[in-house]
Amino acid sequence: MMTYVLCMLYCISTICAFIFGRTAQAGQALMEGAQAAISFAISIGGAICLWSGICELMERCGAAAILSRLLRRPLKKLFPQSSESPETMAALSENVSANILGLGNAATPAGIRAAKAMAKRGSRDELCMLVVLNTASIQLIPSTIAAVRQAAGAQAAFDIIPAVWFSSLVSLAVALGAANLLRRLWS
Amino acid sequence: MSFISQMIGPLIASLLCIAALRQDTDIYSALTEGAKKGLHVLWDILPALLALFPAIYLFRASGLPELLEGLLAPILAFLGIPGETSLLVLLRPISGSASLAAAAEIIQQHGPDSLVGRTAAVMSGASETSLYVAALYFSAAGLKDSRWAIPAALCADLACFVASSWICRVLWG
């Protein structure tokens, strides 16, 4: 996939630069971009590491465990077949709670465990639902993009949070709605 | 509302410290261990950024964005999505690092507190790399047929972009 993306970006941009007579800027842009990648990584590095430390603290304090207990009940409604197996349910609620808290390196392994268990039981619609839940970002604190805003000199990097929550909720609602509709159309 | 978003970092950090104190968790080692993991994450995404930033900068310099915006303008205007974010919208479901690079470029170019910069930030914060996530889970589960998962996920992404543009226009437009 990345091969196509990069190939498209490089080749079409190069052709366009010739057509639009932007050859001087295009030649410079490559070098500038490489330089910008390094300074960008450094400029967001501090905030990424700080936030990663806070995430680690969250995990060790058991915030994820508390949240996953709270999520059991609503998740049982969304995943009736999987709720029969306690292990699948544990992996599932661990995955969703880690996603909400932004603990990326805890979310994926738990999600994959849940996905494998669902595939084994043959509950393919629930596996689709798990994927849809994971593609609708439900992160409470958008820390990476806040670090990017901070590095670019934002007044208050986190002031986008209410807007992010609103968009996340809209996309989650549409995800669940589309899942319910498409599930019926598919079978 | 604004003081909550200003103080969200300090508030979360101090609440966690109190929780950690009550459970006898070693706060210092948790923070340093986490920072170490953060450095690893940074190290891991740096090569991707080095491959993608030049491509995005080249794209921006080539005059192609104006062409793309012109082509997509009728659709984007109908959905209320700012034309400047067209590359971000196209890359977001495909690749996390490519869309991060695209979002960073928009935010630096237009300013983090501009309407376009905020819209790009909200779009990235409220969406996921849907196609990548779907591929990861289905391949881990050993299934080739992803059924309705991808159409549903893409519907949700589109809704997210439209909702982000709308809410930013209402709050900061």
Side-chain angles (χ1 to χ4, degrees):
Chain A
M1 198 71 195
M2 283 315 288
T3 313
Y4 296 114
V5 170
L6 280 171
C7 186
M8 295 270 271
L9 277 174
Y10 277 114
C11 298
I12 299 179
S13 300
T14 306
I15 295 167
C16 265
F18 272 117
I19 296 174
F20 294 123
R22 301 267 196 99
T23 42
Q25 294 98 310
Q28 225 165 17
L30 268 191
M31 302 296 176
E32 273 172 24
Q35 187 57 48
I38 299 279
S39 26
F40 173 71
I42 291 175
S43 70
I44 64 165
I48 296 275
C49 289
L50 169 71
W51 207 260
S52 173
I54 291 178
C55 285
E56 181 78 22
L57 195 54
M58 250 188 240
E59 240 177 311
R60 291 200 194 173
C61 285
I66 296 169
L67 188 61
S68 74
R69 228 171 296 142
L70 291 174
L71 286 170
R72 284 281 159 88
R73 206 175 280 249
L75 284 176
K76 268 189 184 162
K77 288 218 170 115
L78 267 181
F79 297 90
Q81 286 180 312
S82 306
S83 69
E84 284 160 24
S85 141
E87 293 102 69
T88 316
M89 223 43 214
L92 185 61
S93 50
E94 195 184 323
N95 167 255
V96 176
S97 65
N99 270 327
I100 291 176
L101 296 175
L103 312 171
N105 45 6
T108 314
I112 286 176
R113 244 186 300 138
K116 278 186 177 153
M118 284 172 188
K120 218 174 188 181
R121 283 178 67 96
S123 24
R124 288 161 66 198
D125 274 327
E126 297 198 347
L127 177 59
C128 287
M129 186 62 97
L130 170 75
V131 170
V132 170
L133 266 191
N134 271 279
T135 58
S137 162
I138 39 170
Q139 195 180 340
L140 275 182
I141 315 284
S143 53
T144 306
I145 202 71
V148 175
R149 298 191 71 229
Q150 179 76 52
Q155 294 261 309
F158 281 111
D159 69 356
I160 51 161
I161 283 184
V164 171
W165 287 353
F166 170 80
S167 304
S168 288
L169 284 177
V170 169
S171 86
L172 183 62
V174 170
L176 295 181
N180 266 321
L181 190 73
L182 290 171
R183 177 162 50 194
R184 282 191 206 124
L185 290 177
W186 229 260
S187 52
Chain B
M1 201 61 197
S2 70
F3 82 95
I4 299 182
S5 55
Q6 282 160 3
M7 288 297 286
I8 192 134
L11 278 175
I12 291 179
S14 30
L15 278 178
L16 281 173
C17 283
I18 296 171
L21 208 60
R22 289 185 54 189
Q23 295 177 1
D24 250 354
T25 308
D26 185 350
I27 301 169
Y28 180 69
S29 86
L31 286 180
T32 47
E33 199 55 44
K36 204 191 265 174
K37 283 184 191 167
L39 285 175
H40 278 295
V41 169
L42 216 56
W43 190 247
D44 287 341
I45 63 166
L46 189 53
L49 292 178
L50 274 165
L52 287 157
F53 258 78
I56 303 251
Y57 268 58
L58 179 63
F59 168 81
R60 188 57 68 180
S62 68
L64 184 57
E66 289 84 351
L67 189 71
L68 191 66
E69 274 162 37
L71 285 174
L72 292 175
I75 308 166
L76 292 179
F78 173 71
L79 296 170
I81 297 172
E84 292 89 339
T85 60
S86 49
L87 182 65
L88 174 62
V89 167
L90 291 177
L91 289 178
R92 189 67 187 108
I94 301 169
S95 154
S97 26
S99 62
L100 180 64
E105 204 269 347
I106 294 170
I107 290 169
Q108 283 162 3
Q109 208 71 38
H110 296 267
D113 293 322
S114 66
L115 180 59
V116 173
R118 281 183 197 274
T119 308
V122 173
M123 281 176 175
S124 326
S127 57
E128 255 294 340
T129 323
S130 301
L131 295 181
Y132 168 75
V133 171
L136 181 72
Y137 278 85
F138 279 105
S139 72
L143 290 177
K144 280 210 174 115
D145 179 16
S146 66
R147 290 162 66 80
W148 46 270
I150 287 172
L154 290 179
C155 279
D157 282 341
L158 187 63
C160 168
F161 300 144
V162 173
S164 305
S165 310
W166 181 80
I167 190 80
C168 286
R169 230 173 22 246
V170 169
L171 290 177
W172 297 292

